[in-house]
Amino acid sequence: VLKNRCNLTLAEIVLDVRKENIYQYLDLFGFGKKTSSEFNNESSGTIKEIRYAREIDLAKIGEGEDILVTPVQMITAYSALINGGIYNNPSIIDHLEDTTGAKKYLGDSTSYQVITKTTSDRIKQMLICFMQVIYMRIKPAHIMDCIIAKECSPFRRISNEKSFRFG
């Protein structure tokens, strides 16, 4: 499905799932609501209310249509998919320190399990394989226990194995 980008199959998969479960996962992944109080002008995105959702609407959601999400929501959801299935509420600043070095934590540090680690590992592997199919020449690069694909990475090697630069 990923390899061939088959929207019809994605729609069929979604239609095999109960509407309530689809909406539960949309909620768990943070779609349809603001991700953080730190982002003042963030939109909540748009998801049709469950009571108005018909089969065609669910099929469209499976294809990535009929739903509006913010970039922050998308990044946060992808992070949960590949980081052990754990949703972490996004934050710009982790903490501030006063002159004594005491830390004051900001924002909502909510984190919870959205999918199992096993499912997350499978999804991560599928995405890596998908990228390797798209860019046949890519071999995953490993940086500090993180797997990234050469063409997809915002990092560029500077001089030795441990030096990378953003951009």
Side-chain angles (χ1 to χ4, degrees), residues 98-158:
D98 64 18
T99 55
T100 66
K103 294 180 180 179
K104 178 180 179 188
Y105 291 88
L106 305 173
D108 178 10
S109 60
T110 302
S111 70
Y112 51 86
Q113 196 80 37
V114 178
I115 56 175
T116 66
K117 182 176 181 336
T118 302
T119 301
S120 173
D121 290 343
R122 286 179 181 166
I123 290 171
K124 184 176 4 180
Q125 191 58 46
M126 285 189 288
L127 291 171
I128 290 168
C129 290
F130 172 68
M131 293 310 298
Q132 288 174 331
V133 167
I134 298 296
Y135 303 100
M136 296 293 239
R137 64 192 178 280
I138 294 178
K139 292 184 180 175
H142 296 264
I143 301 173
M144 297 175 11
D145 296 327
C146 297
I147 299 172
I148 60 171
K150 186 173 71 174
E151 260 68 14
C152 301
S153 170
F155 297 94
R156 188 173 3 149
R157 181 174 290 214
I158 297 172

Side-chain angles (χ1 to χ4, degrees), residues 91-105:
S91 181
I92 295 173
I93 299 173
D94 177 50
H95 67 273
L96 297 175
E97 293 183 19
D98 64 18
T99 55
T100 66
K103 294 180 180 179
K104 178 180 179 188
Y105 291 88

Side-chain angles (χ1 to χ4, degrees), residues 78-90:
Y78 264 103
S79 295
L81 283 174
I82 63 171
N83 291 328
I86 298 172
Y87 177 94
N88 291 299
N89 208 37

Side-chain angles (χ1 to χ4, degrees), residues 58-70:
L58 299 176
K60 285 181 175 183
I61 288 172
E63 297 173 353
E65 297 177 17
D66 209 34
I67 179 174
L68 297 175
V69 302
T70 68

Side-chain angles (χ1 to χ4, degrees), residues 142-144 157-164:
H142 296 264
I143 301 173
M144 297 175 11
R157 181 174 290 214
I158 297 172
S159 60
N160 61 39
E161 287 183 348
K162 296 183 180 180
S163 297
F164 290 85

